[in-house]
Amino acid sequence: MIHIAIVSHGHQDLLIASKIGGLQDAGDDIHVWIKDNLPSSQLKEYCLHHRVSYTDALPGLGFGANNNFLFEQIKNSVGIKADDIFIVMNPDVSTDQATILELVRLMRADQAALATLNLYRDASFETPDANIRRFPDFFSPIRMAWVRSLTEPYNKNDYKSAGLSDWASGAFLAFKASHYQLLHGFDDRYFMYFEDVDLCYRSRLILGHGVRYYPQLKALHSAARKNRNVASRHANWFIRSFLKFIFRKYFVYSGAKHA
């Protein structure tokens, strides 16, 4: 079974217009679960009419905590098997059933525990989204002066076939369910930003599984990127989360080794 977790934070119009990211009628092998962080009666009613599981329990949680909540809800309500696939997907990502099924087929063939696909910023798939990146380090703030980013993206043109990346954006991450369980999911001490970096770092360092990237599988990601506004709350969360990850990378996780 494939379980897809989507957290809405006032995204009801977007989710309804996109037909739940193109997955509202995805078939019996794919089950979509939505956690509404800003409860919307409109979205609730829409989900009820399209066999999409909806909850507005515990509104106001952070990104990681919301996805961990959905994983536990799946376990407790319908059960989740070790080889099931758990996908974390942003409400501003659109894909289709065929792409999801092919991703899962490739993951199982490659014995990949954690994977992502090729996100683009436009529906014509011409402008790539930098959703695969290298881990940040102490020198990242210095490099930011000329690359305008704390983390360095991979050049997607270098990938002629599937390969590994340090980390992939939480906009779309696919996990073997047992792997997500072993990781204890996201660290919910990150409210927003870098929880995906932290999770991917723990996956590689502690469990020995990097992120498998499939360049041939494409999806749309119409991201807002609110953290670019330095006066916003998002900028504050972004900077604090970056510092938290750097501290953990060098002083908490430094002695860890994968099994």
Side-chain angles (χ1 to χ4, degrees):
M1 189 68 179
I2 303 164
H3 300 279
I4 299 182
I6 300 175
V7 178
S8 174
H9 194 83
H11 294 94
Q12 60 273 3
D13 293 339
L14 176 61
L15 283 166
I16 292 170
S18 68
K19 297 183 178 180
I20 315 296
L23 297 172
Q24 73 177 24
D25 300 311
D28 294 335
D29 294 331
I30 299 174
H31 193 131
V32 180
W33 304 75
I34 288 183
K35 186 175 185 301
D36 202 349
N37 224 24
L38 290 175
S40 161
S41 58
Q42 182 185 16
L43 181 58
K44 182 177 183 179
E45 183 178 355
Y46 187 87
C47 289
L48 288 173
H49 281 86
H50 293 279
R51 298 175 60 197
V52 173
S53 293
Y54 173 96
T55 180
D56 56 10
L58 299 178
L61 297 179
F63 177 86
N66 275 314
N67 285 291
N68 292 343
F69 178 94
L70 283 175
F71 187 81
E72 290 301 314
Q73 184 182 61
I74 295 167
K75 283 175 54 182
N76 296 332
S77 60
V78 301
I80 189 165
K81 298 178 181 178
D83 62 347
D84 283 351
I85 300 296
F86 178 68
I87 296 176
V88 171
M89 188 172 109
N90 270 16
D92 56 5
V93 170
S94 293
T95 183
D96 55 39
Q97 177 187 14
T99 300
I100 296 295
L101 292 177
E102 179 63 5
L103 170 66
V104 171
R105 186 192 71 79
L106 290 170
M107 286 180 67
R108 287 174 173 160
D110 295 338
Q111 297 185 336
L114 172 58
T116 194
L117 38 66
N118 193 353
L119 296 182
Y120 283 79
R121 298 183 187 178
D122 61 310
S124 58
F125 299 140
E126 295 180 353
T127 306
D129 183 83
N131 65 303
I132 54 169
R133 291 174 173 268
R134 301 182 190 278
F135 291 124
D137 55 33
F138 273 128
F139 301 102
S140 295
I142 299 173
R143 288 195 294 269
M144 189 177 181
W146 64 87
V147 299
R148 299 181 65 185
S149 176
L150 277 172
T151 56
E152 179 187 357
Y154 285 91
N155 183 348
K156 289 184 171 181
N157 291 328
D158 292 340
Y159 287 85
K160 306 305 179 186
S161 60
L164 295 175
S165 70
D166 280 359
W167 68 277
S169 165
F172 190 101
L173 285 171
F175 303 84
K176 186 177 178 181
S178 59
H179 189 66
Y180 193 86
Q181 184 79 51
L182 285 170
L183 287 167
H184 302 288
F186 290 97
D187 186 337
D188 58 17
R189 288 172 291 186
Y190 294 86
F191 182 76
M192 188 176 294
Y193 303 115
F194 284 89
E195 60 277 276
D196 44 8
V197 185
D198 182 279
L199 181 145
C200 293
Y201 191 77
R202 287 185 286 118
S203 177
R204 191 180 75 169
L205 182 71
I206 300 171
L207 299 181
H209 288 278
V211 181
R212 190 77 170 169
Y213 167 62
Y214 293 100
Q216 71 273 35
L217 301 180
K218 302 175 182 180
L220 171 65
H221 182 210
S222 52
R225 296 179 176 81
K226 292 180 181 178
N227 57 292
R228 300 300 176 87
N229 179 356
V230 296
S232 72
R233 290 183 304 163
H234 290 261
N236 185 301
W237 291 329
F238 185 85
I239 294 168
R240 291 178 63 181
S241 293
F242 167 74
L243 294 174
K244 186 178 296 184
F245 172 74
I246 291 298
F247 176 81
R248 290 183 182 173
K249 178 181 180 181
Y250 289 103
F251 301 106
V252 177
Y253 301 143
S254 58
K257 294 181 180 179
H258 69 77

